Amino acid sequence: MRTAEIKRRFLAHFEANGHTVVPSAPLPAISDPNLLFINAGMVQFVPYFLGQQTPPYARATSVQKCIRTPDIDEVGKTSRHGTFFQMNGNFSFGDYFKSGAIPLAWDLATKPVEAGGFGLDPERIWATVYLDDDEAYDIWRATGVPAERIVRRGKADNFWSMGIPGPCGPCSELYYDRGPAYGREGGPEVDEDRYLEFWNLVFMQFERGPGTGKEDFPILGDLPAKNIDTGMGLERMASLLQGVDNLYEIDEVKPILDRAAELTGKRYGVHSGHAANESHPDDVRLRVIADHVRTSLMLIGDGVTPSNEGRGYVLRRIMRRAIRAVRLLGYQDRALPELLPVARDCMAPSYPELAEDFGRISQYAYAEEDAFLATLRAGTTILDTAIAETKSAGRAALSGDKAFQLHDTYGFPIDLTLEIAAEQGLQVDAEGFRRLMADQRSRAKADAQARKTGHTDVSAYRRIVDTTGLTDWRAYTDLTTESTIVAILTDGEPVPAATEGQIVTVVLDVTPFYPESGGQAADAGHLTGPDGAGEVIDVQRPVKGLVAHQVRVTAGHLTVGARLTAHVDAIWRLGARQAHSGTHVLHAALRQVLGPTALQSGSYNRPGYLRLDFAWPGGLSVDTRSEVEDVANQALRDDLPVTAQVMPLTRARELGALALFGETYDEQVRVVEIGGAWSRELCGGTHVTHSSQIGLLALTGESSVGAGHRRVEAVVGLDGLRYLARERDLVTQLAAQLQAPREDLPERITALLGRAKAAERRADQLARELTAQRARRLAADAVQIDGTLVVSVVAAADEDPRQLAELVRAALAQDRPGVVAVAAPAERGTRLVVATTATTPDALSAVQLVRSALGGRGGGTARLAQGGAPGLTADATLATVAGLIRAG
């Protein structure tokens, strides 16, 4: 029975028994801050179990997509671990309990196939119950399970929770006896390979508190109602009904594994001679590929894109483990174009949307593979050298400095460094690596804090809040307020006053100024009072609820307790509102043109200008950029209403308001709409009241900000008009200089560039010929040192030292030992390249000569090496090389 059919039968059985079929929630656990991904079938129903929300149905059933990654390193080592799986579940919210759940499960499991069931032999099914759960025991007996096949087990096995505070309760598990070929007789307590668990019925009636492990947590009390949460592993049931050993052999996984084996020329499951419970490395890697490719397909399908943080990092790690496993099996070409379509065909019967959206999914996947292959080429060479040096020095661990350099400079993931080092029998100074990472984060955090507060200790602001209360903030309604100075700070210390010329931090009791937040730049404006005035040059919110103004005192003095007028520059605010609303319009236009997965990942806007970062795997074509610009300006022309309202976070989610992944929000949030549902986002910024007030929106740039993420920049309002005017003037100037009509400019410029490139190629060819002639002359003038032909030369400023060295070596007699040393002045030192002929003895190895001449610096092979060192002249370096050759 195919997996898709098992899924269909499960849902049909429970729908026929009064359950509402609920679609799977997307894999990213957006609604639960404790989870990156949905990891259990009941996650989307937690608010109902806890009584936080009223369920719209008393009974539900679903087949939930799940991801579990804590043991990702174990995937493939056995046939039991996987990252993506599907959990069939039926749920009761205060409706039926044990006496309803147990018969429903038994009926579906044992009902004949021709009657719509799974047809499992009832004589081979075992049940387990919690130690003191006599009620479940009696129901199983009444159902027909004999006492000898009902096992009582403890809290570690038969008491369920998610591992975090929340619902919990005793459970009852169903096991199927696969026969003596799979292990010892005696039930689940004896052998859980032979007796395979396929269904877990959780009798959810308690709420647990924090704790560790499966047993160390307190029971806080009863839930508002007794509930049922069951989970039947779809992959496990598929392995039972398809007569295969494990999840890697079912119809949704095995074709991927088979294609990987075909590509790499390996055979799965034929190896012998390994210890019990230990798989052959080839089998491990094939399982890693099959699992991780399928998981990547499902994650990208649900909107996750590769990145260096959060969910995106998990996806990136999974994809890179699969790609590297393919390469370790000997296949060096791009693998995902061969494997991902197979995964699509496996999963599309259950999830047809994967086939419909495969163009987008494959774009992200193939771009990530290309980026990773480039990283591998750069990082692996450096890592291999570091491993060799570590081993030659007799050390057992790669230094944390080297691991950090690989990560920070070359983008080489630390988990990959750990894996490769382990394969070479080395450890990695992970503690040193983590320390360097922590130092880097601390520096970044300190830099950011310095930019925001001028190094002011935020505890000073907390004291202000404790003394005078929170700021009465009126940025949404006013441009001017009558205010009182409640505090003035200089270098983090409160002062009573500030005089002309000083730059200080001023806290007001009431303010109309918008502090920098949500990607919007801070307001500009002035403070004016009877005794002094100041220019507001920055506004921040250093602690929640308090607004701090950085002020340059321009006249007189400002004093704590003084009354003054706080006035926002109206032109500045208008430009800021245009830019922020323009950001929302551009986001909506991108999603309309590219699709709903083109989600914002960051933004910045100031008067007249905006930039928006969003998830997308490749650059936008000229036509696509034009279409996005047209959609945005159509929205401006349509004069869409712009509204903002505060509502509960749950209501905002129900409306589909967009929020940034990774951001945390209060229970009450502000939702900004432009044209109703066309653009609906959580936002705390200032906005226009109608889209036409933005004026116009002109895209000025589009670029990459990392794998899978793009950035678009635009100007709005008068700045947009000025930008287009400058573009017009530039085209006019080019047309006049080239004496060509505007419409002919692209063709004329292309022709000019073609001629220029042809001239560059001719010049390069001439330079190569001149270098080759010089190389032949240098080879002819080679001197002999103890029977070795030696050429020492300082490269000219326009010569490539490596190319010159290789050309001279090629011109030397190849049947004689020969050494070519080319030095070139570099910034604060010298660059040295050494090339040797094939007959040169090992004592004159190129890499050894370079390192000896440069004090240990440099790298390469015995035939070609290079390096650089500060404080050396070219002539002195060549003299050192000559002395080394004489010393032999």
Side-chain angles (χ1 to χ4, degrees):
M1 189 182 297
R2 288 183 62 87
T3 304
E5 174 62 12
I6 299 172
K7 173 183 175 182
R8 188 199 66 77
R9 287 180 181 230
F10 183 90
L11 295 175
H13 171 75
F14 284 99
E15 186 175 26
N17 282 278
H19 293 67
T20 299
V21 176
V22 180
S24 171
L27 284 166
I30 307 302
S31 61
D32 191 333
N34 296 302
L35 298 173
L36 282 178
F37 301 110
I38 299 288
N39 64 357
M42 50 73 70
V43 170
Q44 65 171 316
F45 303 114
V46 167
Y48 306 150
F49 289 133
L50 290 176
Q52 297 169 342
Q53 297 179 25
T54 301
Y57 27 68
R59 303 179 175 194
T61 184
S62 70
V63 177
Q64 176 63 51
K65 297 174 286 187
C66 301
I67 295 282
R68 288 183 186 166
T69 58
D71 54 358
I72 187 173
D73 293 323
E74 299 302 311
V75 171
K77 293 180 181 178
T78 73
S79 58
R80 300 180 65 176
H81 286 86
T83 50
F84 171 80
F85 63 98
Q86 299 155 90
M87 189 59 70
N88 298 6
N90 59 285
F91 309 92
S92 166
F93 309 107
D95 186 15
Y96 62 85
F97 200 48
K98 297 177 186 179
S99 60
I102 289 174
L104 282 170
W106 181 261
D107 181 44
L108 177 59
T110 60
K111 188 163 52 179
V113 171
E114 56 271 18
F118 295 143
L120 295 179
D121 182 356
E123 300 300 320
R124 298 169 68 177
I125 296 177
W126 290 60
T128 64
V129 297
Y130 186 53
L131 284 175
D132 59 0
D133 193 349
D134 294 334
E135 182 184 2
Y137 179 90
D138 291 341
I139 296 171
W140 279 120
R141 289 289 289 115
T143 304
V145 181
E148 62 268 21
R149 294 211 310 271
I150 305 175
V151 181
R152 295 181 184 266
R153 304 184 79 175
K155 197 171 185 180
D157 296 299
N158 273 67
F159 199 95
W160 182 91
S161 79
M162 290 175 59
I164 57 176
C168 66
C171 61
S172 179
E173 297 174 329
L174 292 177
Y175 290 79
Y176 193 72
D177 181 0
R178 297 196 290 173
Y182 288 91
R184 295 175 297 157
E185 189 175 352
E189 284 193 301
V190 173
D191 192 326
E192 288 198 6
D193 283 327
R194 171 172 172 170
Y195 299 88
L196 185 70
E197 178 198 340
F198 66 89
W199 208 327
N200 186 10
L201 289 74
V202 177
F203 309 127
M204 191 181 296
Q205 58 193 108
F206 304 118
E207 182 176 0
R208 63 155 283 185
T212 58
K214 292 185 176 182
E215 302 180 72
D216 182 21
F217 54 83
I219 301 298
L220 303 181
D222 293 336
L223 293 174
K226 292 181 177 181
N227 307 300
I228 288 295
D229 158 32
T230 82
M232 188 195 82
L234 184 54
E235 284 78 6
R236 288 201 177 185
M237 182 58 76
S239 67
L240 287 175
L241 297 183
Q242 293 172 19
V244 298
D245 282 351
N246 55 69
L247 70 92
Y248 289 97
E249 298 178 15
I250 67 172
D251 62 313
E252 288 188 346
V253 182
K254 188 61 161 45
I256 312 170
L257 189 151
D258 288 342
R259 180 59 179 144
E262 181 183 358
L263 287 176
T264 59
K266 304 296 183 181
R267 296 179 62 198
Y268 177 72
V270 299
H271 307 284
S272 60
H274 284 265
N277 301 319
E278 183 179 326
S279 297
H280 188 278
D282 288 355
D283 289 350
V284 172
R285 287 164 184 156
L286 288 170
R287 288 197 286 259
V288 166
I289 294 164
D291 174 85
H292 287 7
V293 169
R294 185 170 79 132
T295 301
S296 300
L297 171 79
M298 302 307 296
L299 282 172
I300 301 174
D302 272 3
V304 182
T305 57
S307 69
N308 286 329
E309 295 181 349
R311 299 176 180 90
Y313 177 73
V314 174
L315 170 60
R316 171 163 285 168
R317 186 180 177 200
I318 287 171
M319 293 183 69
R320 291 184 169 189
R321 290 187 89 235
I323 294 164
R324 185 162 177 271
V326 175
R327 294 176 71 81
L328 288 173
L329 289 174
Y331 187 76
Q332 302 302 313
D333 294 333
R334 297 170 77 227
L336 290 184
E338 301 291 337
L339 297 169
L340 202 67
V342 180
R344 172 202 61 200
D345 295 343
C346 289
M347 301 304 297
S350 290
Y351 305 98
E353 63 272 15
L354 294 172
E356 297 167 5
D357 199 23
F358 191 70
R360 179 192 65 85
I361 294 170
S362 58
Q363 250 189 318
Y364 278 110
Y366 301 164
E368 178 65 16
E369 180 170 29
D370 290 340
F372 182 50
L373 293 180
T375 296
L376 277 179
R377 285 191 290 271
T380 303
T381 301
I382 296 165
L383 179 56
D384 287 346
T385 301
I387 287 173
E389 291 175 347
T390 302
K391 285 185 170 182
S392 65
R395 295 192 297 270
L398 190 71
S399 73
D401 290 352
K402 181 58 69 175
F404 179 75
Q405 179 195 16
L406 282 160
H407 170 84
D408 193 49
T409 305
Y410 300 98
F412 207 71
I414 181 59
D415 49 273
L416 194 54
T417 299
L418 290 167
E419 284 186 21
I420 294 176
E423 290 165 3
Q424 297 294 321
L426 289 179
Q427 295 180 328
V428 176
D429 178 13
E431 181 60 36
F433 171 82
R434 285 192 291 269
R435 184 173 59 254
L436 290 167
M437 285 294 294
D439 290 346
Q440 184 191 59
R441 292 192 188 100
S442 297
R443 288 193 300 271
K445 187 175 182 180
D447 289 344
Q449 186 70 10
R451 288 192 295 271
K452 299 297 183 187
T453 67
H455 293 286
T456 302
D457 183 352
V458 294
S459 62
Y461 295 111
R462 294 194 182 97
R463 288 193 294 271
I464 295 171
V465 171
D466 293 340
T467 304
T468 64
L470 302 178
T471 305
D472 182 359
W473 185 55
R474 302 181 184 178
Y476 294 145
T477 57
D478 298 315
L479 289 176
T480 302
T481 60
E482 297 303 317
S483 308
T484 299
I485 298 176
V486 298
I488 300 174
L489 295 93
T490 299
D491 296 328
E493 296 297 327
V495 294
T499 59
E500 184 174 344
Q502 283 187 281
I503 295 178
V504 295
T505 299
V506 174
V507 179
L508 306 174
D509 63 340
V510 182
T511 183
F513 283 88
Y514 183 87
E516 180 184 359
S517 61
Q520 180 175 327
D523 276 336
H526 296 85
L527 306 179
T528 55
D531 300 317
E535 177 189 4
V536 177
I537 56 179
D538 190 22
V539 188
Q540 298 293 332
R541 190 180 279 119
V543 296
K544 188 175 182 179
L546 191 78
V547 177
H549 313 73
Q550 191 175 35
V551 177
R552 178 186 292 109
V553 183
T554 55
H557 59 270
L558 302 178
T559 307
V560 172
R563 294 286 294 171
L564 48 72
T565 300
H567 180 70
V568 176
D569 185 324
I571 301 301
W572 178 279
R573 172 68 71 81
L574 174 60
R577 293 164 61 207
Q578 289 175 317
H580 204 148
S581 297
T583 304
H584 286 224
V585 166
L586 181 55
H587 188 200
L590 284 165
R591 287 167 51 78
Q592 180 173 322
V593 173
L594 300 178
T597 59
L599 282 168
Q600 174 185 333
S601 56
S603 68
Y604 173 74
N605 51 79
R606 64 172 187 266
Y609 166 85
L610 65 92
R611 70 169 185 252
L612 187 146
D613 300 342
F614 64 102
W616 197 249
L620 305 185
S621 68
V622 173
D623 289 343
T624 300
R625 288 177 55 180
S626 295
E627 186 178 357
V628 170
E629 199 172 52
D630 286 347
V631 169
N633 283 291
Q634 178 73 40
L636 271 53
R637 195 197 70 175
D638 290 346
D639 195 28
L640 302 175
V642 181
T643 61
Q645 56 180 319
V646 176
M647 63 181 68
L649 180 59
T650 53
R651 174 59 179 158
R653 286 184 173 135
E654 289 171 1
L655 290 174
L658 297 178
L660 285 178
F661 280 159
E663 290 289 326
T664 56
Y665 296 94
D666 294 332
E667 284 304 311
Q668 294 291 314
V669 294
R670 185 168 180 262
V671 177
V672 175
E673 294 182 349
I674 301 178
W678 185 73
S679 171
R680 182 178 284 142
E681 301 189 28
L682 303 188
C683 179
T686 60
H687 289 272
V688 297
T689 57
H690 285 81
S691 61
S692 61
Q693 295 169 352
I694 298 171
L696 66 82
L697 186 149
L699 293 181
T700 60
E702 188 264 339
S703 59
S704 170
V705 287
H709 291 269
R710 308 295 298 180
R711 169 173 291 173
V712 286
E713 298 177 87
V715 284
V716 296
L718 281 175
D719 289 88
L721 285 172
R722 293 176 183 130
Y723 171 80
L724 295 178
R726 289 194 300 272
E727 293 285 293
R728 177 199 62 202
D729 293 344
L730 179 60
V731 172
T732 300
Q733 293 173 24
L734 286 172
Q737 290 176 0
L738 297 177
Q739 297 182 346
R742 290 168 176 255
E743 59 271 18
D744 292 345
L745 283 178
E747 183 179 347
R748 183 67 64 86
I749 292 172
T750 299
L752 287 173
L753 289 173
R755 290 198 291 273
K757 288 179 179 177
E760 288 178 4
R761 285 194 295 271
R762 289 194 295 272
D764 288 343
Q765 181 62 33
L766 179 59
R768 284 194 295 270
E769 291 174 359
L770 291 173
T771 301
Q773 291 176 11
R774 172 164 147 82
R776 288 193 290 272
R777 290 196 301 271
L778 290 168
D781 294 337
V783 299
Q784 290 193 44
I785 300 178
D786 296 334
T788 299
L789 296 175
V790 178
V791 176
S792 297
V793 62
V794 177
D798 59 348
E799 286 181 325
D800 179 350
R802 176 169 175 157
Q803 181 188 52
L804 180 59
E806 291 179 320
L807 288 171
V808 174
R809 178 178 61 184
L812 287 174
Q814 297 302 299
D815 59 349
R816 296 186 59 186
V819 176
V820 180
V822 179
E827 186 177 358
R828 298 187 300 277
T830 293
R831 178 185 174 192
L832 174 65
V833 179
V834 173
T836 64
T837 61
T839 54
T840 304
D842 292 342
L844 296 180
S845 159
V847 68
Q848 192 56 49
L849 287 172
V850 167
R851 288 176 175 169
S852 297
L854 300 180
R857 298 172 182 265
T861 67
R863 296 290 165 251
L864 182 66
Q866 61 183 337
L872 299 176
T873 66
D875 290 334
T877 301
L878 293 175
T880 301
V881 173
L884 292 169
I885 295 172
R886 289 191 183 91

